[in-house]
Amino acid sequence: IEVSELEEYFHKNIFETGILNLLTKYGFSCINLKKIEGKEIDCGEIDVIAYSGERNEFIVVEAKNLSLSRDAKAMTQVINDHFKQKRYHRKFLRKIEWFHDNVNHVSQLLNEKFNVKVREEAKINSFFITRNESVIKYMISDYVVISFEEFDKLLSNGYENGN
């Protein structure tokens, strides 16, 4: 096995699983979504979709295990990746839009998998969760950019409906 494959496995699977476990701990039912009825969804994989019946809230998550940016050069690269090179911003906006357009279908999937009944008017919040704090959080208003640690604190402090 190549070191790059191990790194990719850690970045993707372990980090996403940590987010999924965290949300589950706070009472959310969670899925990773790549396909519906055997067909790949056209926005690309959604890392985590979580629903809390108690909160009547969906959380749509994009997980990126980014390295800590310690200097201006590294921060510039993070910004470039987010908006231009890897286009994380545009891709996540497409996923959020897809979710809004398909919330009933996702609700049905959650019901089938967890026997969860999604109530009317569920709140939808979107989080771009990173391993470390990111400069991007100061540049985005379409969704919340937050570190894993900050997200854990947000949930543990009784966060309700995005407030």
Side-chain angles (χ1 to χ4, degrees), residues 51-58 103-104 107 116-124 161:
Y51 177 74
S52 167
E54 181 182 325
R55 300 169 190 246
N56 196 29
E57 172 188 17
F58 281 104
V103 68
N104 291 337
S107 298
V116 170
K117 303 273 190 264
V118 175
R119 299 193 318 268
E120 293 290 318
E121 305 297 319
K123 181 119 172 103
I124 300 169
N161 298 326

PDB file of all heavy atoms in Angstrom, residues 51-58 103-104 107 116-124 161:
ATOM      1  N   TYR A  51     -29.750  14.366  10.401  1.00  0.00           N
ATOM      2  CA  TYR A  51     -31.065  14.900  10.775  1.00  0.00           C
ATOM      3  C   TYR A  51     -31.329  14.606  12.240  1.00  0.00           C
ATOM      4  O   TYR A  51     -31.094  13.491  12.715  1.00  0.00           O
ATOM      5  CB  TYR A  51     -32.183  14.281   9.930  1.00  0.00           C
ATOM      6  CG  TYR A  51     -33.553  14.765  10.360  1.00  0.00           C
ATOM      7  CD1 TYR A  51     -33.984  16.053  10.052  1.00  0.00           C
ATOM      8  CD2 TYR A  51     -34.400  13.962  11.122  1.00  0.00           C
ATOM      9  CE1 TYR A  51     -35.219  16.520  10.473  1.00  0.00           C
ATOM     10  CE2 TYR A  51     -35.637  14.412  11.540  1.00  0.00           C
ATOM     11  CZ  TYR A  51     -36.035  15.701  11.216  1.00  0.00           C
ATOM     12  OH  TYR A  51     -37.257  16.165  11.643  1.00  0.00           O
ATOM     13  N   SER A  52     -31.818  15.613  12.952  1.00  0.00           N
ATOM     14  CA  SER A  52     -32.247  15.458  14.335  1.00  0.00           C
ATOM     15  C   SER A  52     -33.739  15.722  14.407  1.00  0.00           C
ATOM     16  O   SER A  52     -34.192  16.831  14.081  1.00  0.00           O
ATOM     17  CB  SER A  52     -31.511  16.443  15.246  1.00  0.00           C
ATOM     18  OG  SER A  52     -32.140  16.505  16.514  1.00  0.00           O
ATOM     19  N   GLY A  53     -34.500  14.704  14.813  1.00  0.00           N
ATOM     20  CA  GLY A  53     -35.934  14.878  14.997  1.00  0.00           C
ATOM     21  C   GLY A  53     -36.231  15.833  16.136  1.00  0.00           C
ATOM     22  O   GLY A  53     -37.154  16.645  16.066  1.00  0.00           O
ATOM     23  N   GLU A  54     -35.430  15.739  17.196  1.00  0.00           N
ATOM     24  CA  GLU A  54     -35.617  16.614  18.360  1.00  0.00           C
ATOM     25  C   GLU A  54     -35.467  18.084  17.967  1.00  0.00           C
ATOM     26  O   GLU A  54     -36.238  18.936  18.388  1.00  0.00           O
ATOM     27  CB  GLU A  54     -34.585  16.254  19.434  1.00  0.00           C
ATOM     28  CG  GLU A  54     -34.706  17.072  20.699  1.00  0.00           C
ATOM     29  CD  GLU A  54     -33.633  16.711  21.708  1.00  0.00           C
ATOM     30  OE1 GLU A  54     -33.236  15.526  21.791  1.00  0.00           O
ATOM     31  OE2 GLU A  54     -33.185  17.629  22.420  1.00  0.00           O
ATOM     32  N   ARG A  55     -34.488  18.360  17.140  1.00  0.00           N
ATOM     33  CA  ARG A  55     -34.229  19.736  16.699  1.00  0.00           C
ATOM     34  C   ARG A  55     -35.007  20.089  15.424  1.00  0.00           C
ATOM     35  O   ARG A  55     -35.023  21.239  15.024  1.00  0.00           O
ATOM     36  CB  ARG A  55     -32.745  19.929  16.429  1.00  0.00           C
ATOM     37  CG  ARG A  55     -31.847  19.684  17.618  1.00  0.00           C
ATOM     38  CD  ARG A  55     -30.391  19.643  17.152  1.00  0.00           C
ATOM     39  NE  ARG A  55     -29.488  19.187  18.170  1.00  0.00           N
ATOM     40  CZ  ARG A  55     -28.552  19.941  18.718  1.00  0.00           C
ATOM     41  NH1 ARG A  55     -28.382  21.179  18.334  1.00  0.00           N
ATOM     42  NH2 ARG A  55     -27.766  19.453  19.652  1.00  0.00           N
ATOM     43  N   ASN A  56     -35.538  19.074  14.748  1.00  0.00           N
ATOM     44  CA  ASN A  56     -36.144  19.218  13.421  1.00  0.00           C
ATOM     45  C   ASN A  56     -35.194  19.980  12.501  1.00  0.00           C
ATOM     46  O   ASN A  56     -35.523  21.010  11.927  1.00  0.00           O
ATOM     47  CB  ASN A  56     -37.517  19.900  13.470  1.00  0.00           C
ATOM     48  CG  ASN A  56     -38.280  19.694  12.181  1.00  0.00           C
ATOM     49  OD1 ASN A  56     -38.106  18.687  11.493  1.00  0.00           O
ATOM     50  ND2 ASN A  56     -39.115  20.640  11.826  1.00  0.00           N
ATOM     51  N   GLU A  57     -33.998  19.431  12.391  1.00  0.00           N
ATOM     52  CA  GLU A  57     -32.917  20.105  11.665  1.00  0.00           C
ATOM     53  C   GLU A  57     -32.090  19.120  10.866  1.00  0.00           C
ATOM     54  O   GLU A  57     -31.735  18.045  11.351  1.00  0.00           O
ATOM     55  CB  GLU A  57     -32.016  20.810  12.684  1.00  0.00           C
ATOM     56  CG  GLU A  57     -30.765  21.391  12.083  1.00  0.00           C
ATOM     57  CD  GLU A  57     -29.800  21.921  13.123  1.00  0.00           C
ATOM     58  OE1 GLU A  57     -29.921  21.585  14.314  1.00  0.00           O
ATOM     59  OE2 GLU A  57     -28.899  22.673  12.723  1.00  0.00           O
ATOM     60  N   PHE A  58     -31.782  19.530   9.642  1.00  0.00           N
ATOM     61  CA  PHE A  58     -30.797  18.837   8.816  1.00  0.00           C
ATOM     62  C   PHE A  58     -29.480  19.588   8.905  1.00  0.00           C
ATOM     63  O   PHE A  58     -29.462  20.823   8.965  1.00  0.00           O
ATOM     64  CB  PHE A  58     -31.213  18.849   7.336  1.00  0.00           C
ATOM     65  CG  PHE A  58     -32.242  17.842   6.965  1.00  0.00           C
ATOM     66  CD1 PHE A  58     -33.557  18.232   6.765  1.00  0.00           C
ATOM     67  CD2 PHE A  58     -31.907  16.500   6.803  1.00  0.00           C
ATOM     68  CE1 PHE A  58     -34.523  17.309   6.400  1.00  0.00           C
ATOM     69  CE2 PHE A  58     -32.870  15.571   6.437  1.00  0.00           C
ATOM     70  CZ  PHE A  58     -34.180  15.978   6.236  1.00  0.00           C
ATOM     71  N   VAL A 103     -34.666  17.304  -0.744  1.00  0.00           N
ATOM     72  CA  VAL A 103     -34.846  17.054   0.691  1.00  0.00           C
ATOM     73  C   VAL A 103     -35.907  15.979   0.940  1.00  0.00           C
ATOM     74  O   VAL A 103     -35.751  15.156   1.854  1.00  0.00           O
ATOM     75  CB  VAL A 103     -35.142  18.364   1.470  1.00  0.00           C
ATOM     76  CG1 VAL A 103     -36.497  18.941   1.110  1.00  0.00           C
ATOM     77  CG2 VAL A 103     -35.014  18.151   2.966  1.00  0.00           C
ATOM     78  N   ASN A 104     -36.951  15.923   0.132  1.00  0.00           N
ATOM     79  CA  ASN A 104     -37.985  14.906   0.328  1.00  0.00           C
ATOM     80  C   ASN A 104     -37.443  13.503   0.062  1.00  0.00           C
ATOM     81  O   ASN A 104     -37.765  12.553   0.774  1.00  0.00           O
ATOM     82  CB  ASN A 104     -39.206  15.187  -0.553  1.00  0.00           C
ATOM     83  CG  ASN A 104     -39.957  16.414  -0.094  1.00  0.00           C
ATOM     84  OD1 ASN A 104     -39.863  16.828   1.058  1.00  0.00           O
ATOM     85  ND2 ASN A 104     -40.693  17.029  -1.005  1.00  0.00           N
ATOM     86  N   SER A 107     -35.247  12.603   2.964  1.00  0.00           N
ATOM     87  CA  SER A 107     -36.113  12.290   4.107  1.00  0.00           C
ATOM     88  C   SER A 107     -36.619  10.863   4.023  1.00  0.00           C
ATOM     89  O   SER A 107     -36.658  10.131   5.021  1.00  0.00           O
ATOM     90  CB  SER A 107     -37.289  13.263   4.168  1.00  0.00           C
ATOM     91  OG  SER A 107     -36.843  14.583   4.358  1.00  0.00           O
ATOM     92  N   VAL A 116     -36.896   7.239  10.811  1.00  0.00           N
ATOM     93  CA  VAL A 116     -36.979   8.632  11.250  1.00  0.00           C
ATOM     94  C   VAL A 116     -38.014   9.339  10.395  1.00  0.00           C
ATOM     95  O   VAL A 116     -37.948   9.292   9.170  1.00  0.00           O
ATOM     96  CB  VAL A 116     -35.606   9.334  11.089  1.00  0.00           C
ATOM     97  CG1 VAL A 116     -35.730  10.816  11.312  1.00  0.00           C
ATOM     98  CG2 VAL A 116     -34.588   8.731  12.019  1.00  0.00           C
ATOM     99  N   LYS A 117     -38.946   9.982  11.044  1.00  0.00           N
ATOM    100  CA  LYS A 117     -39.962  10.764  10.332  1.00  0.00           C
ATOM    101  C   LYS A 117     -39.542  12.233  10.356  1.00  0.00           C
ATOM    102  O   LYS A 117     -39.496  12.853  11.412  1.00  0.00           O
ATOM    103  CB  LYS A 117     -41.325  10.619  11.006  1.00  0.00           C
ATOM    104  CG  LYS A 117     -41.811   9.185  11.113  1.00  0.00           C
ATOM    105  CD  LYS A 117     -42.559   8.770   9.875  1.00  0.00           C
ATOM    106  CE  LYS A 117     -43.259   7.447  10.051  1.00  0.00           C
ATOM    107  NZ  LYS A 117     -42.547   6.307   9.558  1.00  0.00           N
ATOM    108  N   VAL A 118     -39.205  12.767   9.195  1.00  0.00           N
ATOM    109  CA  VAL A 118     -38.810  14.174   9.094  1.00  0.00           C
ATOM    110  C   VAL A 118     -40.080  15.013   9.121  1.00  0.00           C
ATOM    111  O   VAL A 118     -41.001  14.802   8.341  1.00  0.00           O
ATOM    112  CB  VAL A 118     -38.000  14.438   7.806  1.00  0.00           C
ATOM    113  CG1 VAL A 118     -37.693  15.915   7.655  1.00  0.00           C
ATOM    114  CG2 VAL A 118     -36.717  13.609   7.816  1.00  0.00           C
ATOM    115  N   ARG A 119     -40.103  15.972  10.046  1.00  0.00           N
ATOM    116  CA  ARG A 119     -41.275  16.837  10.180  1.00  0.00           C
ATOM    117  C   ARG A 119     -41.215  17.974   9.167  1.00  0.00           C
ATOM    118  O   ARG A 119     -40.164  18.299   8.617  1.00  0.00           O
ATOM    119  CB  ARG A 119     -41.341  17.406  11.601  1.00  0.00           C
ATOM    120  CG  ARG A 119     -41.468  16.299  12.648  1.00  0.00           C
ATOM    121  CD  ARG A 119     -41.837  16.792  14.032  1.00  0.00           C
ATOM    122  NE  ARG A 119     -41.175  17.983  14.499  1.00  0.00           N
ATOM    123  CZ  ARG A 119     -40.040  18.001  15.207  1.00  0.00           C
ATOM    124  NH1 ARG A 119     -39.431  16.869  15.478  1.00  0.00           N
ATOM    125  NH2 ARG A 119     -39.520  19.136  15.629  1.00  0.00           N
ATOM    126  N   GLU A 120     -42.376  18.582   8.951  1.00  0.00           N
ATOM    127  CA  GLU A 120     -42.477  19.730   8.041  1.00  0.00           C
ATOM    128  C   GLU A 120     -41.567  20.858   8.510  1.00  0.00           C
ATOM    129  O   GLU A 120     -41.303  20.999   9.706  1.00  0.00           O
ATOM    130  CB  GLU A 120     -43.922  20.242   8.004  1.00  0.00           C
ATOM    131  CG  GLU A 120     -44.907  19.272   7.371  1.00  0.00           C
ATOM    132  CD  GLU A 120     -44.705  19.124   5.877  1.00  0.00           C
ATOM    133  OE1 GLU A 120     -44.482  20.135   5.194  1.00  0.00           O
ATOM    134  OE2 GLU A 120     -44.768  17.977   5.399  1.00  0.00           O
ATOM    135  N   GLU A 121     -41.133  21.669   7.561  1.00  0.00           N
ATOM    136  CA  GLU A 121     -40.370  22.890   7.864  1.00  0.00           C
ATOM    137  C   GLU A 121     -39.065  22.625   8.619  1.00  0.00           C
ATOM    138  O   GLU A 121     -38.680  23.408   9.482  1.00  0.00           O
ATOM    139  CB  GLU A 121     -41.228  23.890   8.653  1.00  0.00           C
ATOM    140  CG  GLU A 121     -42.538  24.260   7.980  1.00  0.00           C
ATOM    141  CD  GLU A 121     -42.346  24.959   6.635  1.00  0.00           C
ATOM    142  OE1 GLU A 121     -41.459  25.806   6.523  1.00  0.00           O
ATOM    143  OE2 GLU A 121     -43.109  24.631   5.705  1.00  0.00           O
ATOM    144  N   ALA A 122     -38.397  21.524   8.321  1.00  0.00           N
ATOM    145  CA  ALA A 122     -37.111  21.248   8.968  1.00  0.00           C
ATOM    146  C   ALA A 122     -36.104  22.319   8.567  1.00  0.00           C
ATOM    147  O   ALA A 122     -36.028  22.732   7.412  1.00  0.00           O
ATOM    148  CB  ALA A 122     -36.606  19.865   8.562  1.00  0.00           C
ATOM    149  N   LYS A 123     -35.336  22.769   9.529  1.00  0.00           N
ATOM    150  CA  LYS A 123     -34.277  23.746   9.287  1.00  0.00           C
ATOM    151  C   LYS A 123     -33.127  23.021   8.585  1.00  0.00           C
ATOM    152  O   LYS A 123     -32.880  21.845   8.845  1.00  0.00           O
ATOM    153  CB  LYS A 123     -33.815  24.321  10.623  1.00  0.00           C
ATOM    154  CG  LYS A 123     -32.736  25.352  10.526  1.00  0.00           C
ATOM    155  CD  LYS A 123     -33.195  26.670  11.089  1.00  0.00           C
ATOM    156  CE  LYS A 123     -32.064  27.650  11.170  1.00  0.00           C
ATOM    157  NZ  LYS A 123     -32.075  28.639  10.138  1.00  0.00           N
ATOM    158  N   ILE A 124     -32.451  23.727   7.693  1.00  0.00           N
ATOM    159  CA  ILE A 124     -31.294  23.148   6.993  1.00  0.00           C
ATOM    160  C   ILE A 124     -30.092  24.059   7.233  1.00  0.00           C
ATOM    161  O   ILE A 124     -30.136  25.245   6.927  1.00  0.00           O
ATOM    162  CB  ILE A 124     -31.560  23.019   5.478  1.00  0.00           C
ATOM    163  CG1 ILE A 124     -32.772  22.125   5.220  1.00  0.00           C
ATOM    164  CG2 ILE A 124     -30.318  22.481   4.768  1.00  0.00           C
ATOM    165  CD1 ILE A 124     -33.266  22.142   3.787  1.00  0.00           C
ATOM    166  N   ASN A 161     -30.741  24.856  16.190  1.00  0.00           N
ATOM    167  CA  ASN A 161     -31.213  25.434  14.929  1.00  0.00           C
ATOM    168  C   ASN A 161     -30.313  26.526  14.361  1.00  0.00           C
ATOM    169  O   ASN A 161     -30.783  27.561  13.936  1.00  0.00           O
ATOM    170  CB  ASN A 161     -32.634  25.939  15.075  1.00  0.00           C
ATOM    171  CG  ASN A 161     -33.594  24.819  15.417  1.00  0.00           C
ATOM    172  OD1 ASN A 161     -33.417  23.696  14.964  1.00  0.00           O
ATOM    173  ND2 ASN A 161     -34.573  25.106  16.229  1.00  0.00           N
TER     174      ASN A 161
END
